Amino acid sequence: MTYQCKVIEFGTVQYDETVSLRIEILRKPLNLVFTDEQLAMEIDQIHFACYELNENGVEDLIACLILVPEKGANDIQMRQVAVDLNKQHQGIGKKIVKFAENWALKAGYSKVFCHARDTAIPFYLKLGYQIIGDGFVEVGIPHVHMEKLL
């Protein structure tokens, strides 16, 4: 199978597909929805998508994430990492995170950080992220701050 990760534009059909994937993977299990205001705030963020190319060359979205530049810093936040349920534990999450990290490095950022759900901590540790500080609750579930120098 062939996979392709790329940057996509806010407000496009591809962006709408990532919103649907994030709702399915990240929001529905917590009984959360996106507000129009939350989505509107994503206009200046960098959106990534990973596609599986089928035998006809059609792209099927299988993963996405967002990078948010920190104002006045060389840090960038990774958020809303989602992988299709049928594609989890197959290296797709690693592929899109590495793609986004490489993009951030080329764009001049020196550190990526995220707020990782407890269930995602082992994933990020394998990718070289470190836990910084104590855990906290975000969207009603435990998280930790994790970061990685690029």
Side-chain angles (χ1 to χ4, degrees), residues 19-35 38 80 117 137-141 143:
V19 172
S20 295
L21 181 62
R22 292 188 286 142
I23 289 169
E24 193 64 35
I25 302 300
L26 302 173
R27 294 291 175 154
K28 275 187 182 175
L30 301 177
N31 294 313
L32 296 173
V33 295
F34 284 115
T35 65
Q38 287 171 322
Q80 295 285 293
R117 296 178 181 195
V137 174
E138 192 171 80
V139 295
I141 57 174
H143 283 72

Short mmCIF file of all heavy atoms in Angstrom, two decimals, residues 19-35 38 80 117 137-141 143:
data_model
loop_
_atom_site.label_atom_id
_atom_site.label_comp_id
_atom_site.label_asym_id
_atom_site.label_seq_id
_atom_site.Cartn_x
_atom_site.Cartn_y
_atom_site.Cartn_z
N VAL A 19 -11.62 17.23 9.65
CA VAL A 19 -12.53 17.56 10.75
C VAL A 19 -13.42 16.35 11.06
O VAL A 19 -13.60 15.98 12.23
CB VAL A 19 -13.37 18.81 10.44
CG1 VAL A 19 -14.45 19.02 11.51
CG2 VAL A 19 -12.48 20.05 10.34
N SER A 20 -13.93 15.71 10.02
CA SER A 20 -14.77 14.52 10.23
C SER A 20 -14.00 13.40 10.92
O SER A 20 -14.53 12.74 11.82
CB SER A 20 -15.32 14.01 8.89
OG SER A 20 -16.19 14.96 8.32
N LEU A 21 -12.75 13.18 10.51
CA LEU A 21 -11.93 12.15 11.16
C LEU A 21 -11.67 12.50 12.61
O LEU A 21 -11.77 11.64 13.50
CB LEU A 21 -10.61 11.97 10.40
CG LEU A 21 -9.66 10.91 10.96
CD1 LEU A 21 -10.28 9.52 10.92
CD2 LEU A 21 -8.34 10.91 10.19
N ARG A 22 -11.36 13.77 12.89
CA ARG A 22 -11.11 14.18 14.28
C ARG A 22 -12.36 14.04 15.13
O ARG A 22 -12.27 13.64 16.30
CB ARG A 22 -10.59 15.63 14.31
CG ARG A 22 -9.20 15.74 13.71
CD ARG A 22 -8.60 17.11 13.89
NE ARG A 22 -9.21 18.10 13.03
CZ ARG A 22 -9.46 19.36 13.39
NH1 ARG A 22 -9.18 19.79 14.59
NH2 ARG A 22 -9.99 20.20 12.53
N ILE A 23 -13.52 14.33 14.57
CA ILE A 23 -14.77 14.15 15.32
C ILE A 23 -14.93 12.68 15.69
O ILE A 23 -15.20 12.33 16.84
CB ILE A 23 -15.98 14.66 14.51
CG1 ILE A 23 -15.97 16.19 14.43
CG2 ILE A 23 -17.29 14.16 15.12
CD1 ILE A 23 -16.96 16.78 13.43
N GLU A 24 -14.74 11.81 14.70
CA GLU A 24 -14.94 10.37 14.90
C GLU A 24 -13.97 9.79 15.92
O GLU A 24 -14.37 9.04 16.82
CB GLU A 24 -14.80 9.65 13.56
CG GLU A 24 -15.28 8.23 13.59
CD GLU A 24 -16.78 8.09 13.86
OE1 GLU A 24 -17.57 8.94 13.42
OE2 GLU A 24 -17.14 7.10 14.52
N ILE A 25 -12.69 10.15 15.82
CA ILE A 25 -11.66 9.54 16.65
C ILE A 25 -11.48 10.24 17.99
O ILE A 25 -11.30 9.58 19.02
CB ILE A 25 -10.30 9.52 15.89
CG1 ILE A 25 -10.43 8.77 14.57
CG2 ILE A 25 -9.18 8.95 16.76
CD1 ILE A 25 -10.86 7.32 14.69
N LEU A 26 -11.51 11.56 18.00
CA LEU A 26 -11.17 12.31 19.20
C LEU A 26 -12.37 12.88 19.96
O LEU A 26 -12.31 13.01 21.18
CB LEU A 26 -10.23 13.47 18.83
CG LEU A 26 -8.92 13.07 18.14
CD1 LEU A 26 -8.17 14.31 17.69
CD2 LEU A 26 -8.07 12.21 19.06
N ARG A 27 -13.41 13.26 19.28
CA ARG A 27 -14.52 13.96 19.91
C ARG A 27 -15.67 13.05 20.35
O ARG A 27 -16.11 13.12 21.49
CB ARG A 27 -15.06 15.06 18.98
CG ARG A 27 -14.07 16.18 18.72
CD ARG A 27 -13.85 16.99 19.95
NE ARG A 27 -12.83 18.00 19.78
CZ ARG A 27 -12.78 19.12 20.48
NH1 ARG A 27 -13.70 19.39 21.36
NH2 ARG A 27 -11.80 19.97 20.29
N LYS A 28 -16.16 12.22 19.44
CA LYS A 28 -17.31 11.37 19.77
C LYS A 28 -17.10 10.52 21.01
O LYS A 28 -18.01 10.43 21.85
CB LYS A 28 -17.69 10.49 18.58
CG LYS A 28 -18.61 11.15 17.59
CD LYS A 28 -19.07 10.15 16.54
CE LYS A 28 -19.96 10.83 15.52
NZ LYS A 28 -20.34 9.91 14.42
N PRO A 29 -15.93 9.90 21.19
CA PRO A 29 -15.74 9.08 22.40
C PRO A 29 -15.88 9.86 23.70
O PRO A 29 -16.16 9.29 24.75
CB PRO A 29 -14.32 8.52 22.24
CG PRO A 29 -14.07 8.55 20.77
CD PRO A 29 -14.80 9.77 20.27
N LEU A 30 -15.69 11.17 23.64
CA LEU A 30 -15.80 12.02 24.83
C LEU A 30 -17.11 12.81 24.84
O LEU A 30 -17.29 13.69 25.69
CB LEU A 30 -14.63 13.01 24.87
CG LEU A 30 -13.22 12.40 24.89
CD1 LEU A 30 -12.17 13.49 24.86
CD2 LEU A 30 -13.05 11.50 26.09
N ASN A 31 -18.00 12.50 23.90
CA ASN A 31 -19.27 13.24 23.77
C ASN A 31 -19.04 14.73 23.59
O ASN A 31 -19.75 15.56 24.16
CB ASN A 31 -20.19 12.97 24.96
CG ASN A 31 -20.65 11.53 25.00
OD1 ASN A 31 -21.08 11.00 23.98
ND2 ASN A 31 -20.56 10.90 26.16
N LEU A 32 -18.04 15.08 22.79
CA LEU A 32 -17.72 16.48 22.51
C LEU A 32 -18.00 16.77 21.03
O LEU A 32 -17.95 15.88 20.19
CB LEU A 32 -16.24 16.76 22.79
CG LEU A 32 -15.77 16.63 24.23
CD1 LEU A 32 -14.25 16.79 24.31
CD2 LEU A 32 -16.45 17.65 25.12
N VAL A 33 -18.27 18.03 20.76
CA VAL A 33 -18.43 18.50 19.39
C VAL A 33 -17.55 19.73 19.21
O VAL A 33 -17.14 20.37 20.17
CB VAL A 33 -19.90 18.86 19.05
CG1 VAL A 33 -20.79 17.63 19.12
CG2 VAL A 33 -20.42 19.93 19.99
N PHE A 34 -17.25 20.05 17.96
CA PHE A 34 -16.55 21.29 17.66
C PHE A 34 -17.57 22.41 17.56
O PHE A 34 -18.64 22.24 16.98
CB PHE A 34 -15.81 21.21 16.31
CG PHE A 34 -14.55 20.40 16.34
CD1 PHE A 34 -14.45 19.23 15.63
CD2 PHE A 34 -13.45 20.83 17.07
CE1 PHE A 34 -13.29 18.49 15.63
CE2 PHE A 34 -12.28 20.10 17.08
CZ PHE A 34 -12.20 18.92 16.37
N THR A 35 -17.22 23.58 18.10
CA THR A 35 -18.04 24.76 17.87
C THR A 35 -17.52 25.45 16.61
O THR A 35 -16.37 25.24 16.21
CB THR A 35 -17.97 25.74 19.06
OG1 THR A 35 -16.62 26.23 19.16
CG2 THR A 35 -18.39 25.06 20.36
N GLN A 38 -14.37 27.27 17.53
CA GLN A 38 -13.17 26.45 17.63
C GLN A 38 -12.58 26.18 16.25
O GLN A 38 -11.37 26.28 16.05
CB GLN A 38 -13.48 25.12 18.33
CG GLN A 38 -13.71 25.24 19.81
CD GLN A 38 -14.24 23.95 20.41
OE1 GLN A 38 -15.05 23.25 19.80
NE2 GLN A 38 -13.79 23.63 21.62
N GLN A 80 -4.48 17.52 17.94
CA GLN A 80 -5.52 16.88 17.15
C GLN A 80 -4.96 15.78 16.23
O GLN A 80 -5.33 15.67 15.06
CB GLN A 80 -6.31 17.91 16.33
CG GLN A 80 -7.10 18.89 17.18
CD GLN A 80 -8.35 18.23 17.75
OE1 GLN A 80 -9.26 17.88 17.03
NE2 GLN A 80 -8.38 18.06 19.07
N ARG A 117 -2.87 12.65 25.60
CA ARG A 117 -3.77 11.87 26.44
C ARG A 117 -2.97 10.73 27.06
O ARG A 117 -2.02 10.23 26.45
CB ARG A 117 -4.91 11.29 25.60
CG ARG A 117 -5.80 12.35 25.00
CD ARG A 117 -6.88 11.74 24.13
NE ARG A 117 -7.71 12.80 23.55
CZ ARG A 117 -8.88 12.58 23.00
NH1 ARG A 117 -9.37 11.36 22.91
NH2 ARG A 117 -9.58 13.59 22.52
N VAL A 137 -5.74 17.74 33.64
CA VAL A 137 -6.97 17.32 32.98
C VAL A 137 -7.32 18.32 31.89
O VAL A 137 -7.31 19.53 32.13
CB VAL A 137 -8.13 17.17 33.99
CG1 VAL A 137 -9.43 16.86 33.28
CG2 VAL A 137 -7.80 16.08 35.00
N GLU A 138 -7.58 17.80 30.70
CA GLU A 138 -7.99 18.63 29.57
C GLU A 138 -9.13 17.90 28.89
O GLU A 138 -9.06 16.67 28.73
CB GLU A 138 -6.79 18.83 28.63
CG GLU A 138 -6.98 19.89 27.57
CD GLU A 138 -5.68 20.18 26.84
OE1 GLU A 138 -5.32 19.41 25.94
OE2 GLU A 138 -5.01 21.17 27.18
N VAL A 139 -10.14 18.58 28.45
CA VAL A 139 -11.37 18.01 27.89
C VAL A 139 -11.88 16.82 28.71
O VAL A 139 -12.39 15.85 28.16
CB VAL A 139 -11.25 17.65 26.37
CG1 VAL A 139 -11.04 18.88 25.53
CG2 VAL A 139 -10.18 16.61 26.09
N GLY A 140 -11.70 16.93 30.03
CA GLY A 140 -12.25 15.93 30.93
C GLY A 140 -11.44 14.65 31.11
O GLY A 140 -11.88 13.74 31.80
N ILE A 141 -10.25 14.57 30.50
CA ILE A 141 -9.44 13.36 30.64
C ILE A 141 -7.98 13.72 30.96
O ILE A 141 -7.53 14.81 30.64
CB ILE A 141 -9.51 12.46 29.38
CG1 ILE A 141 -9.08 13.23 28.13
CG2 ILE A 141 -10.90 11.88 29.20
CD1 ILE A 141 -8.98 12.38 26.88
N HIS A 143 -4.06 14.23 30.83
CA HIS A 143 -3.06 14.54 29.80
C HIS A 143 -1.73 14.83 30.48
O HIS A 143 -1.68 15.10 31.68
CB HIS A 143 -3.45 15.82 29.04
CG HIS A 143 -4.52 15.65 28.02
ND1 HIS A 143 -5.83 15.44 28.34
CD2 HIS A 143 -4.46 15.68 26.66
CE1 HIS A 143 -6.55 15.35 27.22
NE2 HIS A 143 -5.74 15.50 26.20
#
